[in-house]
Coordinates of all heavy atoms in Angstrom, one line a residue:
Chain B
G70 N 21.5 6.1 4.1 CA 21.8 7.5 4.2 C 20.5 8.2 4.5 O 19.6 7.7 5.2
E71 N 20.5 9.5 4.1 CA 19.4 10.4 4.5 C 18.9 11.1 3.2 O 19.7 11.4 2.3 CB 19.9 11.4 5.5 CG 19.0 12.4 6.0 CD 19.6 13.4 7.0 OE1 20.1 12.9 8.0 OE2 19.7 14.6 6.7
K72 N 17.6 11.4 3.2 CA 17.0 12.2 2.1 C 16.0 13.1 2.7 O 15.2 12.7 3.6 CB 16.4 11.2 1.2 CG 15.7 11.8 -0.1 CD 15.2 10.7 -0.9 CE 14.4 11.2 -2.1 NZ 13.8 10.1 -2.9
E73 N 16.1 14.4 2.3 CA 15.2 15.4 2.9 C 14.3 16.0 1.7 O 14.8 16.3 0.7 CB 16.0 16.5 3.5 CG 15.1 17.6 4.2 CD 16.0 18.7 4.9 OE1 17.1 18.4 5.2 OE2 15.5 19.8 5.1
E74 N 13.0 16.2 2.0 CA 12.1 16.8 1.1 C 11.2 17.7 1.9 O 10.3 17.2 2.6 CB 11.3 15.8 0.3 CG 12.1 15.0 -0.7 CD 11.3 14.0 -1.5 OE1 10.0 13.9 -1.3 OE2 11.9 13.3 -2.3
G75 N 11.5 19.0 1.9 CA 10.6 19.9 2.7 C 10.8 19.6 4.2 O 11.9 19.6 4.7
R76 N 9.6 19.4 4.9 CA 9.7 19.1 6.3 C 9.9 17.7 6.6 O 10.0 17.3 7.8 CB 8.3 19.5 6.9 CG 8.0 21.0 6.8 CD 6.7 21.4 7.5 NE 5.5 20.8 6.9 CZ 4.8 19.8 7.4 NH1 5.1 19.3 8.6 NH2 3.7 19.3 6.8
F77 N 10.1 16.8 5.6 CA 10.2 15.4 5.8 C 11.6 14.9 5.5 O 12.2 15.3 4.5 CB 9.2 14.6 4.9 CG 7.8 15.0 5.2 CD1 7.1 16.1 4.6 CD2 7.0 14.2 6.1 CE1 5.8 16.4 4.8 CE2 5.7 14.5 6.4 CZ 5.1 15.6 5.7
T78 N 12.1 14.0 6.4 CA 13.4 13.4 6.2 C 13.3 11.9 6.5 O 12.7 11.5 7.4 CB 14.5 14.0 7.2 OG1 14.5 15.4 7.0 CG2 15.8 13.4 7.0
I79 N 13.9 11.2 5.6 CA 13.9 9.7 5.7 C 15.4 9.3 5.9 O 16.3 9.8 5.3 CB 13.3 9.1 4.5 CG1 13.1 7.6 4.7 CG2 14.0 9.3 3.2 CD1 12.3 6.9 3.5
H80 N 15.6 8.4 6.9 CA 16.9 7.8 7.2 C 16.8 6.3 6.9 O 15.8 5.7 7.3 CB 17.2 8.0 8.7 CG 17.6 9.4 9.1 ND1 18.8 9.9 9.1 CD2 16.8 10.3 9.5 CE1 18.8 11.1 9.5 NE2 17.6 11.4 9.8
L81 N 17.9 5.7 6.3 CA 17.9 4.3 6.2 C 19.3 3.8 6.7 O 20.3 4.3 6.3 CB 17.8 3.9 4.7 CG 18.0 2.5 4.3 CD1 17.0 1.5 5.0 CD2 18.0 2.3 2.8
N82 N 19.2 2.7 7.5 CA 20.5 2.0 7.9 C 20.3 0.6 7.7 O 19.6 -0.1 8.6 CB 20.8 2.4 9.4 CG 22.1 1.8 9.9 OD1 22.5 0.7 9.4 ND2 22.7 2.5 10.8
K83 N 20.7 0.0 6.6 CA 20.5 -1.4 6.3 C 21.2 -2.3 7.3 O 20.7 -3.4 7.6 CB 21.0 -1.7 4.9 CG 20.1 -1.2 3.8 CD 20.5 -1.8 2.5 CE 19.5 -1.4 1.4 NZ 19.8 -2.1 0.1
A84 N 22.3 -1.9 7.8 CA 23.1 -2.8 8.8 C 22.3 -3.0 10.1 O 22.3 -4.0 10.6 CB 24.4 -2.1 9.1
S85 N 21.5 -2.0 10.5 CA 20.7 -2.1 11.7 C 19.3 -2.5 11.4 O 18.5 -2.5 12.3 CB 20.8 -0.8 12.5 OG 20.3 0.3 11.8
L86 N 19.0 -2.7 10.1 CA 17.7 -3.1 9.6 C 16.6 -2.1 10.1 O 15.5 -2.5 10.6 CB 17.4 -4.5 10.2 CG 18.3 -5.6 9.8 CD1 17.9 -6.9 10.4 CD2 18.4 -5.8 8.3
H87 N 16.9 -0.8 9.9 CA 16.0 0.2 10.4 C 15.9 1.4 9.5 O 16.9 1.8 8.9 CB 16.6 0.7 11.8 CG 15.8 1.8 12.4 ND1 16.2 3.1 12.3 CD2 14.7 1.8 13.2 CE1 15.4 3.9 12.9 NE2 14.4 3.1 13.5
F88 N 14.7 1.9 9.3 CA 14.6 3.2 8.7 C 13.5 4.0 9.3 O 12.7 3.4 10.1 CB 14.4 3.1 7.1 CG 13.1 2.6 6.6 CD1 12.2 3.5 6.0 CD2 12.7 1.3 6.7 CE1 11.0 3.0 5.4 CE2 11.5 0.8 6.2 CZ 10.7 1.7 5.6
S89 N 13.6 5.3 9.2 CA 12.7 6.2 9.9 C 12.3 7.4 9.1 O 12.9 7.7 8.1 CB 13.5 6.7 11.2 OG 14.7 7.4 10.8
L90 N 11.2 8.0 9.6 CA 10.7 9.2 9.0 C 10.6 10.3 10.1 O 10.1 10.0 11.2 CB 9.3 9.0 8.4 CG 8.6 10.2 7.8 CD1 9.3 10.6 6.5 CD2 7.1 9.9 7.5
H91 N 11.1 11.5 9.8 CA 11.1 12.6 10.7 C 10.3 13.7 10.0 O 10.6 14.1 8.9 CB 12.5 13.0 11.1 CG 13.4 11.9 11.6 ND1 13.3 11.5 12.9 CD2 14.2 11.0 11.0 CE1 14.1 10.5 13.1 NE2 14.7 10.2 12.0
I92 N 9.4 14.3 10.8 CA 8.6 15.4 10.3 C 8.9 16.6 11.2 O 8.7 16.6 12.4 CB 7.1 15.1 10.4 CG1 6.8 13.7 9.7 CG2 6.3 16.2 9.8 CD1 5.3 13.3 9.9
R93 N 9.4 17.6 10.6 CA 9.8 18.8 11.3 C 8.6 19.8 11.3 O 7.9 19.8 10.3 CB 11.0 19.5 10.6 CG 11.5 20.8 11.1 CD 12.8 21.3 10.4 NE 12.8 21.1 9.0 CZ 12.3 22.0 8.1 NH1 11.7 23.1 8.6 NH2 12.3 21.8 6.8
D94 N 8.4 20.5 12.4 CA 7.3 21.5 12.4 C 6.0 20.8 12.1 O 5.2 21.2 11.1 CB 7.6 22.6 11.5 CG 6.6 23.8 11.6 OD1 6.0 23.9 12.7 OD2 6.4 24.5 10.7
S95 N 5.6 19.8 12.8 CA 4.4 19.0 12.5 C 3.2 19.9 12.5 O 3.0 20.8 13.4 CB 4.2 17.9 13.6 OG 5.4 17.0 13.5
Q96 N 2.3 19.6 11.6 CA 1.0 20.3 11.4 C -0.2 19.5 11.6 O -0.1 18.2 11.3 CB 1.0 20.9 10.0 CG 2.1 21.9 9.7 CD 2.1 23.1 10.6 OE1 1.0 23.8 10.7 NE2 3.2 23.4 11.3
P97 N -1.3 20.0 12.0 CA -2.5 19.2 12.2 C -2.9 18.4 10.9 O -3.4 17.3 11.0 CB -3.6 20.2 12.5 CG -2.9 21.3 13.2 CD -1.5 21.4 12.5
S98 N -2.6 19.0 9.7 CA -2.8 18.3 8.5 C -2.0 17.0 8.3 O -2.2 16.2 7.4 CB -2.7 19.2 7.3 OG -1.4 19.8 7.3
D99 N -0.9 16.9 9.1 CA -0.1 15.7 9.0 C -0.7 14.6 9.8 O -0.2 13.4 9.7 CB 1.3 16.0 9.7 CG 2.2 17.0 8.9 OD1 2.0 17.1 7.7 OD2 2.9 17.8 9.6
S100 N -1.8 14.8 10.5 CA -2.5 13.7 11.2 C -3.0 12.7 10.2 O -3.8 13.0 9.3 CB -3.6 14.3 12.0 OG -3.2 15.2 13.0
A101 N -2.5 11.5 10.4 CA -2.8 10.4 9.5 C -2.2 9.1 10.0 O -1.5 9.1 11.0 CB -2.3 10.7 8.1
L102 N -2.5 8.0 9.2 CA -1.8 6.7 9.5 C -0.6 6.7 8.6 O -0.7 6.9 7.4 CB -2.8 5.6 9.1 CG -2.2 4.2 9.3 CD1 -2.0 3.9 10.8 CD2 -3.2 3.1 8.8
Y103 N 0.6 6.4 9.1 CA 1.8 6.4 8.4 C 2.2 4.9 8.3 O 2.4 4.2 9.3 CB 2.9 7.2 9.1 CG 2.7 8.7 8.9 CD1 1.7 9.3 9.6 CD2 3.3 9.4 7.9 CE1 1.4 10.7 9.5 CE2 3.1 10.8 7.7 CZ 2.1 11.4 8.5 OH 1.9 12.7 8.3

Side-chain angles (χ1 to χ4, degrees):
Chain B
E71 176 181 304
K72 180 178 173 183
E73 182 178 339
E74 291 179 1
R76 297 185 294 112
F77 299 87
T78 302
I79 189 172
H80 288 270
L81 171 63
N82 185 328
K83 285 191 175 185
S85 61
L86 301 176
H87 176 265
F88 72 112
S89 58
L90 178 70
H91 304 274
I92 307 173
R93 177 172 46 84
D94 187 25
S95 299
Q96 298 297 307
S98 58
D99 294 330
S100 297
L102 180 68
Y103 287 77

